[in-house]
Amino acid sequence: MTRIAVESELRYEVHSPTGLLLAMSAAETAHQHVTDDHLSVTPEVAREQVRFDPSGHDLVRVHVEQGLVTISYRAIVDVRPHVPDDVPRSEVSFIDLPGDVLGFLNPSRYCQSDLLERFAQQTFGGLDPGFDRVTGICNWIWDHLSYVPGSTDASSSAVDVLVGAAGVCRDYAHLGISFCRALGIPARYVSGYAVDLEPPDFHGFFEAFLHGEWYLFDATRMAPIDGLVRIAAGRDAADVAFATIVGAAELVGKEISAVDLDRAGPAPTTSTPALGTA
Amino acid sequence: MTRIAVESELRYEVHSPTGLLLAMSAAETAHQHVTDDHLSVTPEVAREQVRFDPSGHDLVRVHVEQGLVTISYRAIVDVRPHVPDDVPRSEVSFIDLPGDVLGFLNPSRYCQSDLLERFAQQTFGGLDPGFDRVTGICNWIWDHLSYVPGSTDASSSAVDVLVGAAGVCRDYAHLGISFCRALGIPARYVSGYAVDLEPPDFHGFFEAFLHGEWYLFDATRMAPIDGLVRIAAGRDAADVAFATIVGAAELVGKEISAVDLDRAGPAPTTSTPALGTA
Amino acid sequence: MTRIAVESELRYEVHSPTGLLLAMSAAETAHQHVTDDHLSVTPEVAREQVRFDPSGHDLVRVHVEQGLVTISYRAIVDVRPHVPDDVPRSEVSFIDLPGDVLGFLNPSRYCQSDLLERFAQQTFGGLDPGFDRVTGICNWIWDHLSYVPGSTDASSSAVDVLVGAAGVCRDYAHLGISFCRALGIPARYVSGYAVDLEPPDFHGFFEAFLHGEWYLFDATRMAPIDGLVRIAAGRDAADVAFATIVGAAELVGKEISAVDLDRAGPAPTTSTPALGTA
Amino acid sequence: MTRIAVESELRYEVHSPTGLLLAMSAAETAHQHVTDDHLSVTPEVAREQVRFDPSGHDLVRVHVEQGLVTISYRAIVDVRPHVPDDVPRSEVSFIDLPGDVLGFLNPSRYCQSDLLERFAQQTFGGLDPGFDRVTGICNWIWDHLSYVPGSTDASSSAVDVLVGAAGVCRDYAHLGISFCRALGIPARYVSGYAVDLEPPDFHGFFEAFLHGEWYLFDATRMAPIDGLVRIAAGRDAADVAFATIVGAAELVGKEISAVDLDRAGPAPTTSTPALGTA
């Protein structure tokens, strides 16, 4: 078990009546237990809990008339990853996929897996199936892409990132998801926190469905797999934006931290263990 | 009420073990009642009903080893559209959208609404909100696009179709959905049958969420709104493919029909009435 | 005749040995006479005049080892546009186009005219041929696009700009060129200076080949046609970059001005007269 | 010297007055001598020789009112490639490139080298410069792409081909050109004939400018380098189409052959020798 303290704060200058939809809260799952969590909006405004279907994560929606608004979140999260005795050596056949997983085979806005079928088959078709194949995808992405903040923007897709050979965490995840889906492996985007991220920020990674479970992968190698705290999962980054703004608001401040409370030194960054954390 | 007889048959030559996922069955909804429906697979093979989450429609999955396989469906469908006294003059504010509708604001693989925000605002921003605005979008699409079978393919997106100025029903729907989402109106793709389609085929259209309900639109003007039979709804065509093939199978025959059992003459093709049929 | 004083200065901080290729000098043509022109590079470095084939404009190439380098240009340019008695009412048939014009029918990096054939035919096919049709294209672009600095970047093409509905002078020109070529009208990109530009900068516009001559058009309406000073023409902006940098140099200063020496007040901005200035 | 007999015939059914621009004739160059060439148009119609500037190749333009038209070409071509004592180990510095070569560094419609700079640097930046680097590019393309007729169409660009991982000769050449330009190596598209092509067709390959000369490369490995007969060179396939049709004509027949008159057996297909054939 890893005990992680997460904190985040977003400050907006709101110029005219604006709706904010926030996905900053750590999720309670079979592999992740949240305590002491607190989300505050200052000044206090009416807020509403909304369940985003289909993904099933909870959003907080607030309406702000004008002025400075600060949204703060903090929690202690116990991450208890399920470590299988052995990594999954197989992929689930299309004929056996559960209905709630099928949609994660489909291409999405930022993951045009349909365009990458031959590329993926050509590059990863010869690897051992299962965990090794997805690890191979992550290694290829790590080798091929340069991590360059500012090299992509909110409209950049997996295809753009593959061609441009650079991106940030979100782009690494989109490319990994696209290659998985192109090979018939369901994959989804996960937003969250990551311990010791440098510079500190929210994080994006992905999950692949292998052997009946979702397994976490992070092609950026920026944090250990057991240092990842899930906020929400969706088809791609579009589904799990940390903040969606409809109106006129400007981000004027952002502070994020995630600290492993038990660990003193720097975290290892290889992704060797296979962890199911759905 | 319109009583519509639908029939469809797909024939595949299967070359090696293949999974088929079929979405050919008319949906049972508050506005659509299905009787006498029958789906057969010849030769008889094991088949499984799968519920596609999130959209919640039922799929039939079969596994075929080899040889010719024929999938036939027929049903009588009573379409009882809800006709409001007046068309909705307003759109639902972002702050009031239900959680299960929020995802239909997001861009998707074939509906890159994020890229079209300024285009949509520039072209449709001045129209009256609600039903009139979406009708204006449909009229613009009808004026701008030429219906040209073969001008697009399975990878064509709304942006491709806008630029290329041609497409088929699926493309018309994707462009309509994209413009709606770009304007903050949730929209989704609907697959189905349509009476008197020429040439006969499956059909694709879309729904926009206005005033708390989903309203049907068909920018192709190929069938009357009350001649549309729903199979399934999803983010775009990727979610509701009539048949998904994983393996090696070749479509060798396709026959589809939808007949209005009460109407003798040809159907009117304007989209004047506002119908909620979710 | 318009007498225009142009001045430009670019300052670079060069970090390591760098080649600079400059296209800042006003062209001497049948319709444009240049006097008192002077290009200086400070500190003085070896420089070479290079003729860019095919377009036939002269470039200055310098090699800088390190440090601050300032390139300054000034000239007095007499623009003597040829004003035909009547605007050309016809377009040159493909069968009659000169060989040195044929290449300007082809799609280029930023002008994918091949993708826009149906869009152009659909939107401009019904207009009167010749000058009126190209004017119609410019008017449509003016109506459809918003002039938004920063909305596009160096990789944005005509298709991107059409979809995004915003751009700067270069984008307006690329879209105009693309529509012309899509309709069988040869068109090329012109870089230059423009009087009274706000904010002052280099400018980009385009020419269409009508009735045996190249006619100038500027869809931005930012300067009068007889206030445009040509530097060079090419297939699109790629051919006529003001400065091409190979190495490591950072632009640290830019000043540009173009003043109509005979005119006191602000210039009219409509593009009514037809001017051949090839 | 290789003596190659080339023959081609195109047959069109012309439905309404149509202009045809043909680039089927072998070029006379320092490394290629053409004898016994004959181009005929049946029925006989007025035809005109047009020089395509900038590339400088000759085109034949004919105007056909209606009916079946047959264009036939045949020639004997002596290919005398210049074989340097050693392959060029260096690339020409930007600062030393001739003015008529500079344009072949620019991105073009089908060769978006500007988008591929990081990809190319990442993949080929570590190879030895000059001939070896371009050979490395060709080998990578050969490994990465599948040669699949029908996988691309006339609008497919190098980026599409890279992503889709399949294409035909034109696509292989476009990708090779794009990678070269992205690395600062001028490159251009060459259309031509190739001995023993299977199935017989026109061919497309490319040239890279190294050490002051243009060197031929063919990433498809479909013909030996000294079995390539040049028709024309240009920025990409758009500049050197075998036939450009403006009007309404349908290709109803095509026959092409290129035979090495001195060689009986099948040709070797490796691209080892370095040949300058500009």
Side-chain angles (χ1 to χ4, degrees), chain A residues 118-255:
Chain A
R118 203 186 295 263
F119 193 112
Q121 198 59 50
Q122 162 78 12
T123 312
F124 310 110
L127 301 185
D128 286 340
F131 192 81
D132 284 354
R133 198 196 305 272
V134 183
T135 301
I137 289 172
C138 289
N139 291 343
W140 189 93
I141 291 173
W142 166 258
D143 285 339
H144 179 70
L145 297 192
S146 301
Y147 196 94
V148 183
S151 59
T152 52
D153 61 28
S155 73
S156 300
S157 71
V159 160
D160 298 328
V161 168
L162 172 61
V163 168
V168 295
C169 62
R170 156 197 157 109
D171 305 306
Y172 281 63
H174 283 156
L175 189 51
I177 292 166
S178 301
F179 282 141
C180 285
R181 293 182 189 164
L183 292 162
I185 303 170
R188 63 187 186 188
Y189 187 93
V190 184
S191 65
Y193 298 90
V195 296
D196 301 326
L197 215 58
E198 200 48 56
D201 205 340
F202 290 116
H203 198 45
F205 30 100
F206 75 103
E207 284 180 318
F209 190 78
L210 300 169
H211 203 69
E213 265 190 294
W214 288 103
Y215 286 80
L216 273 178
F217 292 89
D218 182 356
T220 69
R221 301 187 188 173
M222 293 178 81
I225 287 292
D226 66 352
L228 301 176
V229 174
R230 167 189 311 255
I231 293 173
R235 294 214 179 168
D236 57 28
D239 277 357
V240 293
F242 304 103
T244 305
I245 310 296
V246 176
E250 192 185 340
L251 183 68
V252 294
K254 181 167 83 164
E255 270 144 58

Side-chain angles (χ1 to χ4, degrees), chain C residues 194-208:
Chain C
V195 296
D196 302 326
L197 215 57
E198 199 49 56
D201 205 338
F202 290 114
H203 198 45
F205 32 99
F206 75 102
E207 286 181 317

Side-chain angles (χ1 to χ4, degrees), chain B residues 126-214:
Chain B
L127 301 185
D128 286 340
F131 193 82
D132 285 353
R133 198 196 305 270
V134 183
T135 301
I137 289 172
C138 290
N139 291 343
W140 188 94
I141 292 173
W142 167 258
D143 286 340
H144 179 71
L145 297 192
S146 300
Y147 196 95
V148 182
S151 59
T152 51
D153 61 28
S155 73
S156 302
S157 71
V159 160
D160 297 329
V161 167
L162 173 60
V163 167
V168 296
C169 61
R170 156 196 156 107
D171 305 306
Y172 281 63
H174 283 157
L175 190 51
I177 291 166
S178 301
F179 282 142
C180 284
R181 292 181 189 166
L183 293 162
I185 304 170
R188 64 187 187 187
Y189 188 93
V190 184
S191 66
Y193 297 91
V195 296
D196 302 326
L197 215 58
E198 199 49 57
D201 204 339
F202 289 115
H203 198 45
F205 30 98
F206 75 103
E207 284 181 317
F209 190 78
L210 299 169
H211 204 69
E213 266 190 294
W214 288 102

